[in-house]
Amino acid sequence: MSDQDISRSPDGQGFAGDLRGPEQGFPAEQIDTSRPHPARMYDYYLGGWDNYEVDRVAAERVIEVHPQIRLSARANRAFLQRAVRDLVAGGIRQIIDIGTGIPTSPNTHEVAREIAPDTRVVYVDNDPIVATHAGARLTNTEGTGFVLGDVRDPKAILDHPVVRELIDFDRPVALLLLAVLHFVRDDEDPAALVATLADALPAGSHLVLSHATGEPYEAYAPGRTDVTARDGVVNVYKNATATLNLRSKAQVEPLFGPFALLDPGVVRVSLWRPDGEVPSAEELNNTIFYGAVGRKD
């Protein structure tokens, strides 16, 4: 693959392998710093530095009304790592990670390659600042690639030359949609977007999905929702580049479509095959993400 094969540009192109270097980066004017971006806010929750003042101000407003948001972000990241290890241990060697966010080590390919060094990973995100970091932290090794794309246009992702170069759609693929579909509105039909992606994947493929919720954890607060915190968080994201659309467990489960849920089903992310002590009911209540893994038969 040559530099001419895949360019790095904000028109939906991407890059793979060692196609990197500052001369190929996005110009600063392509990065919207006038409004907070969910990927950069999430980076702040995780303690990262790849964010702007507008992101930090918005994130602090979220923390003010829901101080446990950082707990949720860490729990979601840990869920991703457990799910990737589980799937790669089961034979998966290809991963498409949509909505990857600002690189945070260990990244998906690093986790996968602890088990299988030949695992191929394509990262997808719609924020150009993610792309500026991808060359140094995600695609600086053979078998990884990055696409500037949006889950709302799944066909463009599937048809992208980087995806077609790295992913063999005749072999099982792990599709990762971690903390991304809650930024898709109901009228944008998140289930249909997942279905389009699923149609391209062969039997034996898996979906790893997490989604924010405003529901209480029933064992801790039966029938009670902290409306003030929920509405406060949602209101902050109204001014971001994508709105936050919280969904219930009953609304999250249908998003899996043709992917049959693996045990233990849709649960708070900390409860998905934990490798340590199970959190308390209060901590689970404060962890706002549901998560699950499904398999396409």
Side-chain angles (χ1 to χ4, degrees), residues 181-192:
L181 289 182
H182 49 240
F183 295 117
V184 177
R185 303 187 308 269
D186 287 344
D187 63 287
E188 293 171 319
D189 202 346

Side-chain angles (χ1 to χ4, degrees), residues 89-119:
I92 291 291
R93 295 295 181 268
Q94 305 182 106
I95 300 173
I96 302 176
D97 185 347
I98 300 178
T100 185
I102 305 292
T104 303
S105 190
N107 294 290
T108 298
H109 73 280
E110 295 167 326
V111 174
R113 290 177 179 179
E114 291 174 359
I115 299 170
D118 59 336
T119 305

Side-chain angles (χ1 to χ4, degrees), residues 130-277:
V130 176
T132 65
H133 293 286
R137 296 157 65 182
L138 296 178
T139 63
N140 59 347
T141 182
E142 185 178 357
T144 61
F146 179 85
V147 170
L148 186 67
D150 197 302
V151 70
R152 298 173 187 84
D153 191 356
K155 188 175 186 304
I157 293 172
L158 294 168
D159 292 342
H160 196 282
V162 169
V163 174
R164 291 293 164 178
E165 175 77 16
L166 291 175
I167 302 299
D168 178 359
F169 285 94
D170 291 326
R171 297 170 52 226
V173 178
L175 172 65
L176 274 52
L177 293 171
L178 277 294
V180 62
L181 289 182
H182 49 240
F183 295 117
V184 177
R185 303 187 308 269
D186 287 344
D187 63 287
E188 293 171 319
D189 202 346
L193 301 178
V194 176
T196 298
L197 294 164
D199 284 346
L201 306 181
S205 294
H206 290 72
L207 170 62
V208 182
L209 185 154
S210 68
H211 196 296
T213 186
E215 282 189 327
Y217 180 62
E218 287 299 315
Y220 174 73
R224 191 188 77 189
T225 299
D226 189 339
V227 176
T228 301
R230 181 196 65 195
D231 291 351
V233 172
V234 170
N235 286 337
V236 172
Y237 280 92
K238 286 181 179 178
N239 296 316
T241 58
T243 59
L244 179 64
N245 306 273
L246 302 176
R247 295 185 172 95
S248 66
K249 180 179 180 180
Q251 292 171 311
V252 171
E253 289 175 339
L255 296 178
F256 281 83
F259 296 93
L261 290 170
L262 304 183
D263 288 337
V266 175
V267 293
R268 297 295 166 118
V269 288
S270 300
L271 292 178
W272 196 89
R273 303 186 182 183
D275 52 12
E277 185 177 351

